[in-house]
Amino acid sequence: SKFDPSKDEL
Amino acid sequence: MNIFRLVGDLSHLLAILLLLWKIWKTRSCAGVSGKSQIMFGLVYITRYLDLFTNFISIYNTTMKAIFIAVAIATIYLIYFKFKATYDSNHDTFRMEFLIVPVGGLAFLVNHDFTALEILWTFSIYLESVAILPQLFMISKTGEAETITSHYLFALGSYRALYIVNWVYRYYFEGFFDLIAIVAGCVQTILYCDFFYLYVTKVMHGKKLSLPA
């Protein structure tokens, strides 16, 4: 799946 | 990773460790809302399911694992080990009043209609209101212990720093996530009244107590 920047936030 | 997010994450970590340490050290969870802690546990578990599906970084994985572990440990101390000290008479906020509407909203307003994405959205919405039982409990008893105040201040600081992080990411990375931003702002607003009391009372060495 594509990289989702919001998911690297905790 | 920018400095605001890093300091925000560390503030978040400090908050949950502080609460766990306070309960362990005093052998008591008096004044702590078990319901808020159950909802935070639910927040971490539903948000960090991606631990099993994709790897982002060692930092990311470690922090997620710590948050889940500390949340479960805190819930265990409140509802099992130090249950006798749990102030359930004052922890009367009804969790379903938050969980049901938040679950419905996660189904309706999300980025992608998949199980993982809906659970992620649910956790974002739930986190924004999970502190309400704790604030409600303080308003009922009219006071909070100093360490509980520090816990709330560290937790609120984490939220405020995340807003700065989003402004930074918008300007320097052109990235923004509306769901996270709106829910994050709602959450931060909930802390404002508490921040005011913290600055005017606790920082001047007084216990946090509400005007009669």
Side-chain angles (χ1 to χ4, degrees):
Chain A
S1 63
K2 69 180 170 58
F3 175 68
D4 182 351
S6 64
K7 302 301 187 289
D8 71 344
E9 294 185 346
L10 298 164
Chain B
M1 171 68 79
N2 58 63
I3 185 75
F4 307 110
R5 187 140 57 102
L6 180 63
V7 178
D9 287 346
L10 294 177
S11 179
H12 189 182
L13 185 63
L14 175 73
I16 61 174
L17 288 175
L18 193 64
L19 187 71
L20 187 68
W21 173 81
K22 170 209 143 81
I23 296 173
W24 183 256
K25 201 71 188 167
T26 62
R27 323 294 288 174
S28 162
C29 55
V32 176
S33 166
K35 292 181 175 172
S36 276
Q37 295 310 313
I38 286 181
M39 290 202 285
F40 279 122
L42 209 54
V43 163
Y44 300 133
I45 290 167
T46 52
R47 186 175 313 166
Y48 300 156
L49 288 171
D50 66 348
L51 276 172
F52 300 103
T53 59
N54 61 336
F55 177 78
I56 295 164
S57 65
I58 301 267
Y59 170 83
N60 191 277
T61 301
T62 311
M63 290 293 259
K64 285 175 174 173
I66 294 175
F67 286 157
I68 292 175
V70 173
I72 291 171
T74 305
I75 294 167
Y76 167 74
L77 293 188
I78 296 172
Y79 285 97
F80 295 95
K81 194 160 175 68
F82 302 126
K83 191 179 171 51
T85 64
Y86 170 51
D87 210 356
S88 60
N89 292 337
H90 289 123
D91 195 12
T92 50
F93 200 98
R94 301 273 295 271
M95 282 191 285
E96 59 272 34
F97 288 171
L98 297 178
I99 293 175
V100 173
V102 154
L105 191 63
F107 258 96
L108 294 172
V109 185
N110 53 54
H111 292 312
D112 196 9
F113 204 76
T114 61
L116 221 57
E117 189 63 30
I118 290 170
L119 285 169
W120 179 85
T121 312
F122 169 76
S123 97
I124 293 287
Y125 294 154
L126 185 62
E127 186 186 357
S128 73
V129 292
I131 201 62
L132 283 176
Q134 180 65 61
L135 297 176
F136 184 67
M137 194 171 179
I138 292 173
S139 75
K140 258 193 127 180
T141 59
E143 59 176 32
E145 283 178 46
T146 302
I147 299 175
T148 311
S149 309
H150 295 331
Y151 160 73
L152 284 168
F153 184 74
L155 207 57
S157 304
Y158 139 66
R159 293 317 311 182
L161 284 159
Y162 254 66
I163 292 182
V164 185
N165 152 61
W166 291 323
V167 173
Y168 179 95
R169 291 192 85 175
Y170 179 70
Y171 276 104
F172 294 98
E173 299 169 24
F175 163 74
F176 71 98
D177 183 320
L178 209 54
I179 287 179
I181 291 173
V182 172
C185 288
V186 167
Q187 189 176 1
T188 311
I189 289 166
L190 295 181
Y191 286 89
C192 284
D193 185 42
F194 167 81
F195 274 150
Y196 172 77
L197 290 170
Y198 187 86
V199 171
T200 55
K201 294 203 167 169
V202 183
M203 278 182 156
H204 292 89
K206 278 181 271 181
K207 194 172 168 166
L208 192 145
S209 58
L210 303 180

